[in-house]
Amino acid sequence: MRLGSINGLRFKQLKLVILAFFMLFLLWKWEKGTYYDSEILQPDPLVLTHPANSKFVDQHTSSEEDFPSADPLPQSVGKVEKQVSGAPPPLSTIGYSVDVADGNEVPPPEKKECNYRNGKWVSDNRRPLYSGFGCKQWLSESWSCRLTQRTDFAYEKFRWQPEACEMPEFEASQFLRRMQDKTVAYVGDSLGRQMFQSMMCMVTGGKQWPDVEDVGAQYGFVLTPGAKRPDGWAYRFPSTNTTILYHWSSTLCDLEPLNPSDRATSYAMHLDRPPAFLKNNLHRFHVLVLNTGHHWNRGKLRANKWEMYLGGAPNNNRNIAVIWKAKNFTIHSIVKWMDAQLPHHPQLKVFYRSISPRHFFNGDWNTGGSCDNTNPLAKGSGIHLNHSEDGDAEGAVRGTRIKLLDVTALSRLRDEGHISRYSIKATPGVQDCLHWCLPGVPDTWNEILAAQL
């Protein structure tokens, strides 16, 4: 009996020793990483469940431009946030940790550049940034909806909140100090002029500034015989020597009269040449904002007697002769030329502003279309897209040093902010669902521009 007990005890001890060795082996293998499962330690990806899949077709009219543009924007797939939340979103999801054992800080991850394209409109009673009644020195009467018979102004009380970052508040004096001894230039169509007038109102607070100098003549902005307005405006703020200017170039093409001695002559519309104004003045600019889009239609070309030219001769390329392809070719051409100029102008920052959406409902500009909605954010407050709704603009700047000022999707949510049926004389007519009331949506474009500078 005693021998059996001893043998049994020794067997149990042997099993314990073997088990101990096995546990030590498992621990060693774990430390070596053999059984490390990377998928277990990775966080689950964030799944966005908001409905997406939106398709848009633009329509166009203008109280200051006589012919329509029915070219559709590229189709896009995005996520539109329908719920308007009362609480502001978290400012950031990026943080850092402290090692309690030794007190050493773990450095935060590299901060990503803010994507101003995505975010949502939030109510802000501190808006607008200036008074539509007061900014008469810079703002066209037809764009100041406060001077019309319009009675609802809820559209003035919203600001854009980018996704996962904070956009700094626009502060006029700070902006002028940052732009000291610099020139900010807008070159484009009437939507570019709205952006220019918006910036003038924002910088002055919508108040009279008698000491601001009109320096338009220095840039060739003079009223020619028979013209309704000059080809641009330029103003200098003496306190900081800051110049803000606008030049009208609705297609960003160089326009050359075919017969300079004939006032009724046609013009060569050089699709592959930048406007002469840019070539002659580029060295004077520090910030340049370009845009085009709504003038690319047959009606505009016929009315202005513009004839497409390529390589210095009438365009015989049937492919480019299609309007939307000609527009895309020109956008790529101007961006490519501008990118090649930047090494020679290191002081210059260039932005290409994406197209401003039109909001015609129940018809086109000439078939009874309207934009009578006065309910802000009726179609949602937020945008989350993985690409721009303006594919031509996004494709043109890709791989260049030109920045995209992407305002298309965020502006599409603001159909209540257009001039609509309101006018100074309160006479019925074609509704303007292209231009915006000021103060209004173009102020946000300038805020995003200032934030990106």
Side-chain angles (χ1 to χ4, degrees):
M1 288 292 295
R2 181 177 180 80
L3 182 60
S5 298
I6 292 174
N7 288 338
L9 181 62
R10 286 178 178 175
F11 180 73
K12 289 181 180 178
Q13 290 175 338
L14 180 62
K15 287 198 295 183
L16 287 173
V17 170
I18 293 172
L19 180 62
F21 272 112
F22 181 72
M23 293 300 295
L24 287 173
F25 174 78
L26 287 178
L27 288 173
W28 177 77
K29 295 293 283 182
W30 179 267
E31 290 179 356
K32 294 292 286 182
T34 305
Y35 294 107
Y36 176 79
D37 186 352
S38 60
E39 291 185 0
I40 295 175
L41 299 181
Q42 290 177 354
D44 293 333
L46 178 64
V47 179
L48 299 173
T49 58
H50 295 300
N53 302 342
S54 55
K55 298 180 180 179
F56 305 102
V57 177
D58 264 346
Q59 306 297 336
H60 162 222
T61 192
S62 163
S63 61
E64 297 194 352
E65 299 174 10
D66 302 321
F67 293 87
S69 172
D71 301 323
L73 279 176
Q75 295 179 356
S76 64
V77 176
K79 295 179 175 63
V80 180
E81 182 180 307
K82 296 291 289 183
Q83 184 73 25
V84 181
S85 172
L91 298 184
S92 175
T93 58
I94 298 175
Y96 65 94
S97 60
V98 177
D99 190 332
V100 179
D102 57 12
N104 293 329
E105 290 188 358
V106 178
E110 184 179 350
K111 188 176 180 180
K112 294 182 179 180
E113 184 178 357
C114 184
N115 182 353
Y116 294 98
R117 171 197 301 152
N118 294 323
K120 65 180 178 180
W121 291 101
V122 295
S123 178
D124 189 342
N125 286 325
R126 296 172 298 171
R127 301 295 165 121
L129 299 175
Y130 55 90
S131 167
F133 285 121
C135 194
K136 297 179 181 179
Q137 190 174 359
W138 322 110
L139 181 55
S140 297
E141 283 189 347
S142 59
W143 292 342
S144 178
C145 291
R146 286 278 182 174
L147 302 180
T148 70
Q149 73 276 23
R150 185 164 184 162
T151 58
D152 63 290
F153 302 100
Y155 65 87
E156 294 182 347
K157 297 294 185 179
F158 290 89
R159 65 176 172 84
W160 181 246
Q161 172 62 60
E163 189 176 81
C165 65
E166 191 74 16
M167 186 164 68
E169 291 282 337
F170 183 88
E171 209 283 309
S173 59
Q174 182 190 64
F175 181 80
L176 285 175
R177 285 195 302 270
R178 287 167 59 201
M179 295 296 109
Q180 184 162 353
D181 301 320
K182 292 179 172 60
T183 296
V184 179
Y186 298 89
V187 177
D189 59 22
S190 59
L191 275 303
R193 183 155 67 95
Q194 283 212 299
M195 201 171 173
F196 159 73
Q197 291 190 7
S198 161
M199 179 60 83
M200 290 298 298
C201 291
M202 289 168 64
V203 168
T204 60
K207 296 181 172 61
Q208 293 287 319
W209 278 43
D211 60 332
V212 174
E213 302 173 6
D214 184 343
V215 294
Q218 298 180 20
Y219 294 88
F221 299 151
V222 294
L223 188 63
T224 57
K228 294 181 180 179
R229 59 181 71 92
D231 285 340
W233 294 264
Y235 298 101
R236 178 174 296 144
F237 294 79
S239 59
T240 57
N241 191 34
T242 302
T243 300
I244 301 176
L245 67 84
Y246 162 77
H247 172 67
W248 183 85
S249 179
S250 60
T251 58
L252 296 180
C253 292
D254 190 33
L255 298 175
E256 182 182 32
L258 296 178
N259 184 2
S261 62
D262 181 7
R263 287 184 59 184
T265 185
S266 296
Y267 288 80
M269 180 184 179
H270 295 285
L271 304 180
D272 53 352
R273 293 186 194 173
F277 176 80
L278 280 182
K279 290 194 293 184
N280 296 336
N281 293 283
L282 200 60
H283 64 284
R284 307 169 74 176
F285 302 155
H286 299 82
V287 178
L288 175 61
V289 183
L290 303 170
N291 90 282
T292 188
H294 293 294
H295 278 251
W296 289 90
N297 61 82
R298 292 293 176 189
K300 289 288 186 184
L301 267 63
R302 285 193 300 268
N304 291 299
K305 299 180 180 179
W306 293 339
E307 299 179 10
M308 292 186 189
Y309 270 59
L310 197 60
N315 176 42
N316 294 319
N317 187 328
R318 285 182 154 187
N319 211 22
I320 297 178
V322 179
I323 286 289
W324 71 269
K325 291 185 178 181
K327 181 191 76 170
N328 195 22
F329 176 87
T330 300
I331 292 172
H332 279 76
S333 178
I334 186 72
V335 167
K336 183 179 179 180
W337 177 83
M338 193 63 66
D339 189 51
Q341 300 304 309
L342 286 181
H344 308 293
H345 304 282
Q347 86 288 353
L348 180 61
K349 296 181 185 295
V350 182
F351 295 82
Y352 186 90
R353 202 210 72 213
S354 66
I355 198 165
S356 172
R358 295 165 277 149
H359 289 93
F360 274 93
F361 300 101
N362 302 319
D364 206 338
W365 73 280
N366 56 352
T367 57
S370 63
C371 46
D372 285 336
N373 173 45
T374 57
N375 181 22
L377 308 176
K379 292 178 172 58
S381 65
I383 288 291
H384 184 90
L385 296 169
N386 58 12
H387 59 82
S388 175
E389 282 190 359
D390 188 347
D392 289 349
E394 186 174 52
V397 303
R398 187 179 295 118
T400 73
R401 286 157 288 196
I402 312 302
K403 288 185 175 291
L404 179 65
L405 186 58
D406 196 354
V407 303
T408 306
L410 63 91
S411 303
R412 192 176 295 286
L413 295 176
R414 301 300 309 279
D415 62 287
E416 88 289 3
H418 287 292
I419 305 295
S420 186
R421 58 187 172 86
Y422 305 104
S423 64
I424 299 296
K425 297 179 180 179
T427 54
V430 173
Q431 292 202 18
D432 184 352
C433 303
L434 168 68
H435 296 103
W436 303 90
C437 289
L438 290 175
V441 172
D443 302 332
T444 295
W445 304 348
N446 277 320
E447 288 183 277
I448 296 174
L449 171 68
Q452 287 187 325
L453 287 175

